[in-house]
Amino acid sequence: MPISDTSSEIAEMQMQVRRQMTLDERFRIAIELSDICRELRKAGIKREHPDWSERDVVIELLRLAFFPEPLPLWVR
C-alpha cells in the first residue's frame, strides 16, 4: 500500500471532485501541470548554467526530454 499524507476522507472528496470533472477540465489540468513541470525544469537548467542563452536552455530541455545523449553539434 502506498504511503500517503492524505486522510481517507479527503482522498474520497478528491475522487468525488475528479469524477465530476469533464474530460476537457481534466485535460486542461494535465496541460497546466505539464507547463509547470517544464518551467521548473527550465529554471533548474538556468540555475545550473547561468551563462547559457535561452536557446541553449530550451535545447537542453528538449534533450533531457527526448534524447539519452547530448545533441550533436549540428543541431545547435
Side-chain angles (χ1 to χ4, degrees):
M1 175 175 236
I3 297 174
S4 174
D5 63 352
T6 305
S7 70
S8 58
E9 296 85 14
I10 297 300
E12 181 56 34
M13 289 173 65
Q14 290 173 334
M15 285 304 295
Q16 288 175 4
V17 168
R18 287 188 198 119
R19 287 185 196 116
Q20 293 172 358
M21 294 171 73
T22 66
L23 181 60
D24 288 345
E25 290 170 324
R26 291 193 306 261
F27 183 71
R28 180 183 47 79
I29 289 171
I31 295 297
E32 289 173 3
L33 287 171
S34 177
D35 289 345
I36 290 168
C37 290
R38 185 173 35 259
E39 290 305 314
L40 286 171
R41 189 61 187 114
K42 278 179 67 176
I45 294 168
K46 288 178 182 181
R47 187 180 63 248
E48 294 168 8
H49 305 281
D51 56 323
W52 284 13
S53 69
E54 181 67 18
R55 183 176 191 274
D56 289 334
V57 171
V58 170
I59 288 171
E60 180 66 2
L61 181 68
L62 292 171
R63 185 195 68 77
L64 290 169
F66 298 109
F67 299 98
E69 300 294 326
L71 291 174
L73 291 177
W74 63 265
V75 173
R76 294 180 182 252

